[in-house]
Amino acid sequence: PVCSMGNSTSRLYSALAKTLSSSAVSQHQDCLEQQDSAQLDPIDPKDLLEECQIVLQKRPPRFQRDFVDLKKNAASNHRPIRVMQWNILAQALGEGKDNFVQCPMEALKWEERKCLILEEILAYKPDILCLQEVDHYFDTFEPLLSRLGYQCTFFPKPWSPCLDVEQNNGPDGCALFFLKDRFELVNSANIRLTAMKLKTNQVAIAQTLKCNETGRLFCIAVTHLKARTGWERFRSAQGCDLLQNLKSITQGAKIPLIICGDFNAEPTEEVYREFSNSSLNLNSAYKLLSPDGQSEPPYTTWKIRPSGECRHTLDYIWYSQHALNVNSALGLLTEEQIGPNRLPSFNYPSDHLSLVCDFSFNQDPDRLL
């Protein structure tokens, strides 16, 4: 169907179109020196969603995923805080290094894949968005999300593997976005993780926010730990370093905490146990979807590489269980929805599933510590 576009939408379309062409690394400085995106006109999310859908006309529709209600009759006197965790797959890695043997290259075209990522974000409307493998921050995510009302922070890896790929768009890293009308930034820390006292290539962002509605403080952190088999002890050391940093930032759990990340670690790994047993009193939100509330989902990433099929649980949303309730969590895609060629695909832009949870504050957090 032909979609007619009024003036406001065509202006928006041109804003979206400007982000379609990949910028070279040398142009990054220009992005930093350009007019602050926050000074540009705000974007109506409905208009941006419509523009994405026009670009995606020839692709199959988005998968239906439903939220599972997890409230235990706990009445909350404030709007829940929706947090989204997602490794979106760096464009340079998807096209150049990851070897998704069942995924056609056409499905990875940035012009369309970008719109699939934006469509997913716009569909779930997170108050806080935590992303990993972001290599189009300056030309896509920061310009668009700042105009949707988010405050944006990016911390690239010191030696990103994206830089080894020809015609890359700069380094990938972690990015954190929060809605400025819901939260006020109190403190922000960019953390380069260490292991065995050495600085590593993995990073985290931790921000203390004040909820405007309740006046309550909480800390939100995003990270992406070292990948690959054989690096379990290294990930464990990185996890210990992150926990130490967060203990300091949250004054030993006085400030409630939410940690989003691709940990590159199954629940059987030491780093998972460190987070489970930490003095910060953390629980993994997606365990609550299991019948007994004790088991992680069967997978958060599912792909086929030359070495074979990889189906793992690597992505988590950890939270202070004494101070926060999980009201609901977004169900995962079924095997049937994912399909035999696995991820990414024409339907879904990343090899990792997005995780989304709604949180509320406990009324008396100290009693449960």
Side-chain angles (χ1 to χ4, degrees), residues 230-242:
W231 291 84
E232 292 80 6
R233 285 185 61 204
F234 195 83
R235 278 191 286 276
S236 171
Q238 288 183 326
C240 284
D241 182 48
L242 180 56

Side-chain angles (χ1 to χ4, degrees), residues 22-28 90-93 133-139 154 156-173:
S22 175
S23 331
V25 184
S26 61
Q27 292 175 296
H28 279 173
Q91 184 62 21
L93 301 184
E133 289 201 22
V134 178
D135 64 346
H136 275 270
Y137 177 80
F138 292 107
D139 66 358
F154 176 62
K157 289 176 187 161
W159 315 292
S160 165
C162 293
L163 299 177
D164 298 336
V165 178
E166 258 186 74
Q167 294 186 304
N168 66 74
N169 199 61
D172 76 300

Side-chain angles (χ1 to χ4, degrees), residues 261-317:
D262 174 357
F263 279 60
N264 275 307
E266 291 271 13
T268 49
E269 268 199 41
E270 181 64 35
V271 68
Y272 183 92
R273 289 194 291 279
E274 280 158 6
F275 274 71
S276 294
N277 301 328
S278 161
S279 62
L280 292 171
N281 195 21
L282 301 171
N283 193 20
S284 171
Y286 263 72
K287 274 171 38 176
L288 302 179
L289 287 182
S290 66
D292 61 357
Q294 298 301 311
S295 313
E296 291 290 351
Y299 50 82
T300 62
T301 178
W302 201 342
K303 54 206 155 205
I304 301 173
R305 286 190 165 136
S307 54
E309 200 156 335
C310 311
R311 176 179 177 268
H312 299 293
T313 300
L314 306 176
D315 307 88
Y316 306 96
I317 299 178

Side-chain angles (χ1 to χ4, degrees), residues 44-305:
D44 184 326
K46 290 195 188 95
D47 288 343
L48 183 57
L49 185 57
E50 190 182 309
E51 295 304 340
C52 288
Q53 286 164 348
I54 290 167
V55 174
L56 298 169
Q57 285 179 84
K58 294 183 182 158
R59 294 219 180 195
R62 278 185 69 255
F63 293 123
Q64 177 64 35
R65 294 170 69 186
D66 297 315
F67 279 90
V68 179
D69 189 353
L70 299 166
K71 280 199 288 282
K72 298 176 189 155
N73 305 319
S76 169
N77 59 0
H78 67 90
R79 274 186 302 159
I81 296 168
R82 178 163 289 181
V83 176
M84 184 175 191
Q85 147 60 30
W86 199 12
N87 177 333
I88 59 171
L89 173 62
Q91 184 62 21
L93 301 184
E95 286 185 310
K97 282 197 154 196
D98 274 341
N99 290 320
F100 301 119
V101 290
Q102 298 290 85
C103 179
M105 281 307 279
E106 197 188 340
L108 295 170
K109 280 197 321 203
W110 180 241
E111 289 79 359
E112 293 177 11
R113 198 172 80 82
K114 174 187 74 173
C115 290
L116 274 180
I117 294 169
L118 290 168
E119 186 184 44
E120 181 101 343
I121 294 166
L122 291 162
Y124 300 123
K125 306 185 180 97
D127 299 304
I128 299 171
L129 173 62
C130 294
L131 301 180
Q132 299 86 35
E133 289 201 22
V134 178
D135 64 346
H136 275 270
Y137 177 80
F138 292 107
D139 66 358
T140 300
F141 293 104
E142 193 273 339
L144 288 172
L145 289 171
S146 63
R147 293 176 68 188
L148 290 168
Y150 289 92
Q151 182 151 330
C152 314
T153 306
F154 176 62
F155 192 25
K157 289 176 187 161
W159 315 292
S160 165
C162 293
L163 299 177
D164 298 336
V165 178
E166 258 186 74
Q167 294 186 304
N168 66 74
N169 199 61
D172 76 300
C174 292
L176 202 164
F177 308 85
F178 66 83
L179 285 176
K180 289 186 286 190
D181 66 353
R182 287 214 66 185
F183 312 106
E184 180 190 324
L185 180 63
V186 175
N187 180 48
S188 186
N190 286 357
I191 302 162
R192 184 167 168 194
L193 298 175
T194 64
M196 298 84 170
K197 299 193 175 165
L198 296 172
K199 287 183 175 175
T200 72
N201 193 32
Q202 279 65 45
V203 300
I205 303 167
Q207 297 190 329
T208 305
L209 304 180
K210 183 168 124 187
C211 175
N212 292 336
E213 192 180 333
T214 63
R216 298 276 294 267
L217 293 181
F218 68 101
C219 176
I220 178 81
V222 55
T223 195
H224 187 186
L225 302 187
K226 172 72 183 159
R228 301 217 173 90
T229 311
W231 291 84
E232 292 80 6
R233 285 185 61 204
F234 195 83
R235 278 191 286 276
S236 171
Q238 288 183 326
C240 284
D241 182 48
L242 180 56
L243 286 167
Q244 281 303 118
N245 275 283
L246 293 173
K247 276 174 196 165
S248 166
I249 290 166
T250 61
Q251 300 161 29
K254 280 202 182 77
I255 298 170
L257 174 63
I258 300 169
I259 308 160
C260 294
D262 174 357
F263 279 60
N264 275 307
E266 291 271 13
T268 49
E269 268 199 41
E270 181 64 35
V271 68
Y272 183 92
R273 289 194 291 279
E274 280 158 6
F275 274 71
S276 294
N277 301 328
S278 161
S279 62
L280 292 171
N281 195 21
L282 301 171
N283 193 20
S284 171
Y286 263 72
K287 274 171 38 176
L288 302 179
L289 287 182
S290 66
D292 61 357
Q294 298 301 311
S295 313
E296 291 290 351
Y299 50 82
T300 62
T301 178
W302 201 342
K303 54 206 155 205
I304 301 173
R305 286 190 165 136

